[in-house]
Amino acid sequence: MKLYEKLADDMTEAVRRGVFAAGERIPSVRQASQQHGVSIKTVLHAYALLESRGIVETRPQSGYFVRDAAARALAPNASPSGPDLGRQPGRDTPPVAAEVDVSRLVLSTLRSIRAHDAVPFGSPYPDPSLFPWRRINQYANAIARRQASWNLIDDLPPGNPELIRQIARRYAENGMPVDPDEIVITLGATEAINLSLQAVAKPGDTVAVESPTYYAMLHAIERLGMRAIEVATHPVHGIDIDALARVIATQEIAACMVMPNFQNPLGFQMPDARKQQLVELLAAHEIPAIENDVYQELYFGDARPSTLKTFDRKGLVLHCASFSKSLTASYRIGWALPGRYRAHVEKLKFLNTLTTPSVPQVAVADYLRHDGYDRHLRHVRKVYRQQASIMTALVQRFFPVGTRVSAPQGGYVLWVELPASVDSMRLYRAALARSITVGPGMMFSTRNDFRHFIRLNYSYPWTAQTEAALKTLGELVTQMA
Amino acid sequence: MKLYEKLADDMTEAVRRGVFAAGERIPSVRQASQQHGVSIKTVLHAYALLESRGIVETRPQSGYFVRDAAARALAPNASPSGPDLGRQPGRDTPPVAAEVDVSRLVLSTLRSIRAHDAVPFGSPYPDPSLFPWRRINQYANAIARRQASWNLIDDLPPGNPELIRQIARRYAENGMPVDPDEIVITLGATEAINLSLQAVAKPGDTVAVESPTYYAMLHAIERLGMRAIEVATHPVHGIDIDALARVIATQEIAACMVMPNFQNPLGFQMPDARKQQLVELLAAHEIPAIENDVYQELYFGDARPSTLKTFDRKGLVLHCASFSKSLTASYRIGWALPGRYRAHVEKLKFLNTLTTPSVPQVAVADYLRHDGYDRHLRHVRKVYRQQASIMTALVQRFFPVGTRVSAPQGGYVLWVELPASVDSMRLYRAALARSITVGPGMMFSTRNDFRHFIRLNYSYPWTAQTEAALKTLGELVTQMA
């Protein structure tokens, strides 16, 4: 073990033992270097590691402090708690706006998948081997060959016109006519969501999110120094509109971020009537809605579901999507339909990353125009639907009594409620030791809720190895229950 | 002309005539649609266009307002003013922190280059035809072929390890040993600068910049809702350290953003002694320095110049750079060396754009390892040095008395002071009508300074056409003088 790792572990242990309490300042780099007789550089490494582990945080010009969450998470008996799959209306605790910091947990989960080359039940991404990446690369190569050279002035925001046309065409074909002039190409849905939120709210504002919510929403809130207020979300109907109305009645809400189609992690498809209700409630209060629709093409039903945008009359819905979950993750092509905030979002795109690289934009446009995107999608939907039912059946077989499983209507993740006594962080670590990853429930809330929940990815091909891994996981849960 | 363009032009005219004054609210979309008998959609288009022209700005939930800058810029006789090439100490007006909004002017300049396929004297980017883009594409294709598939977990922040190694190697070879563990790969220097600033300052904070300053710095400040305070910058010595000291003595400065090597637009190389002085002044006040070193490889001298990082002892320098100006613009590979803020910057990278696409990272790493980057750079430096002197000579020949030209020591831009009576915005529009672009001086300051300055790009091959274009430009200036 490297010296700085040793130091980081000692400090972690000290926090666990309460030597350094939540919010408390730990020794300065200089002090630590003297106390432990190591170099400044080693201490800086150790502290960086502690920070990336989420144990401490820096406060500019004032040093390193123990994070509350860390102190809680490390406390000997952090009592597991939390509701059923989603929040049942009524059973919900009165919501309170909270500061957000889940990104470290998410990043370390992603890293562990990569580092351990583990069974990727914990991955948020679809199995890329299902994607036509070879075809898309061929288009990219053809472009690179025929194009003398590219510079940053090509395809500036709002983006490549042909790509924008193709995206608009797909919406139209799916019965959702959109104005091409409204589309702004972004670096994946991540940037679309970030820019949309920045366009409608400012640091310190409170943003309503689902509970559980896809952590990408929490990341955007965290990035901009806003506060999240969680609203009960039903595993079938989606966000509890009455609960949201109560929140709006009692406090200032700058925006509402939801995922009405195949929500990550619950997988529901919000019924049209409720989508309309939600849009109307928010419109009545002039509250912008940021809609994450990245799974729009991954439906198990007969047709692409409607969106909040479908029911938007006031340009208050900022609709965000990408090709990362259905065509190519590595090209990072996303877009926003920001309604009345379009000009602002386009400007923020320019300020944030200048432009989305040209070749990927054109390559995806060429693929959409000339190739078999729909054929590809039909195949992917079929595979996901099959693997969803396989994994559901096997979870029910391998996991102990008291386990409950979501019934996704699209996408590629399962939300699993474990017996209340199981700590998904402990499970996560135990599974990782066996080269299996899971998505710990704590990633999906700013509170300590969903501690006994996990998210499982079923997009990867079902093999004897994956089946064995799921069995192992079931055994670990049974031991911990 | 489209209906919404017509409407936008009428509104612009109304602002020019003072029908709508600076800061005044223009009619709501609904009102305008009734007044002009056009659809809501047309008005939204027109207003978006007005916003992208910088005439109006939206204020969430309250409508569209005439921007002060627009009112000023459009005013019949906006009096030209501003100092010599850089600010001479003493001649400087007492600095005041200002809100920042230059991005619209910059974006519209870039768009016009693209749209008019104009002579790109106004371009901020180097001529891509000088870049080994074909070689790099070959590496990218080879990677795409040998790699089964990519997903977003590959090369997560801090980035691809081999690319990081190669970047560290180049620094070491140039006598600037850096710790590879400090490097965070970003989406171009744009993101490196954005994340660095976000890591050290918060909205509302005041950031010290040079005057004139590269507008990328102003973009970062604008994006984060901070304020810029401009400090006199000498065309040869760089930022006036005494003036900066006076600013620091009188107010809270959250960070200082500078470009010590081949500053855009002035082109100077800050002497080592002054770099060290600057680092020590800031360190004495624990003020982080954000160093933009994107032209690090484009020196005209014998060796790569030192950086602020070279003299940093406290980890307070956040050093930002990229390959966009020296190898490939379209791959958008940049990086940050954030010193003590490293963990925070890495986290912000993850929150901002998740990850920098893998294939470009690996392709650039492969090129650096196996190909002729140094040979390519030697050629580019020679070309730029020659073209700098050609353009300087011709500006002196074609432009009227009272014109002064910078003496760049690297990079590929010339800063030209025109006779005080020349309005570079008028020149910009007149030149554009003849398919020639220039960089208006107003992009380089938050104040109305440098109105009679332009930036000219000399990276493009020198032809009879470019020479004729420069002659035309000189004639326009002579008419306006």
Side-chain angles (χ1 to χ4, degrees), chain B residues 410-429:
Chain B
Y412 48 82
V413 298
L414 216 57
W415 182 237
V416 181
E417 178 176 13
L418 307 170
S421 56
V422 179
D423 176 345
S424 61
M425 286 309 298
R426 269 189 62 217
L427 176 63
Y428 168 77
R429 287 187 287 267

Side-chain angles (χ1 to χ4, degrees), chain A residues 120-169:
Chain A
F121 293 145
S123 172
Y125 306 114
D127 172 14
S129 68
L130 273 177
F131 290 174
W133 54 270
R134 202 178 294 267
R135 300 283 303 147
I136 296 174
N137 286 340
Q138 285 165 358
Y139 286 106
N141 302 348
I143 294 155
R145 270 194 304 277
R146 74 167 181 262
Q147 189 72 17
S149 63
W150 291 93
N151 66 46
L152 286 186
I153 303 178
D154 299 311
D155 304 318
L156 280 171
N160 175 268
E162 181 54 31
L163 175 60
I164 287 172
R165 249 193 308 281
Q166 291 298 323
I167 291 170
R169 180 182 59 74

Side-chain angles (χ1 to χ4, degrees), chain A residues 226-286:
Chain A
M226 300 172 185
R227 299 171 66 79
I229 186 157
E230 301 190 19
V231 178
T233 296
H234 188 279
V236 175
H237 304 137
I239 191 164
D240 178 351
I241 295 172
D242 298 336
L244 178 61
R246 286 194 296 274
V247 168
I248 292 171
T250 54
Q251 56 196 288
E252 191 67 35
I253 299 297
C256 179
M257 305 179 84
V258 290
M259 204 162 175
N261 293 323
F262 324 126
Q263 191 239 22
N264 184 337
L266 286 167
F268 59 76
Q269 175 180 323
M270 200 176 181
D272 285 4
R274 286 179 170 272
K275 282 174 181 160
Q276 184 162 7
Q277 257 185 303
L278 176 59
V279 170
E280 285 165 359
L281 169 66
L282 295 170
H285 296 82
E286 290 284 320

Side-chain angles (χ1 to χ4, degrees), chain B residues 203-218:
Chain B
D205 282 355
T206 298
V207 178
V209 298
E210 302 170 277
S211 184
T213 181
Y214 182 36
Y215 46 74
M217 310 295 211
L218 297 178

Side-chain angles (χ1 to χ4, degrees), chain B residues 359-403:
Chain B
V359 173
Q361 288 193 66
V362 180
V364 169
D366 286 354
Y367 175 87
L368 292 174
R369 198 170 31 177
H370 302 303
D371 219 301
Y373 190 35
D374 286 303
R375 193 173 61 252
H376 155 68
L377 287 171
R378 277 193 298 275
H379 173 65
V380 169
R381 290 183 200 118
K382 185 155 154 288
V383 171
Y384 287 176
R385 203 164 47 236
Q386 289 169 346
Q387 294 180 178
S389 50
I390 294 173
M391 186 182 260
T392 304
L394 291 176
V395 167
Q396 280 156 348
R397 188 201 304 169
F398 294 140
F399 284 47
V401 181
T403 301

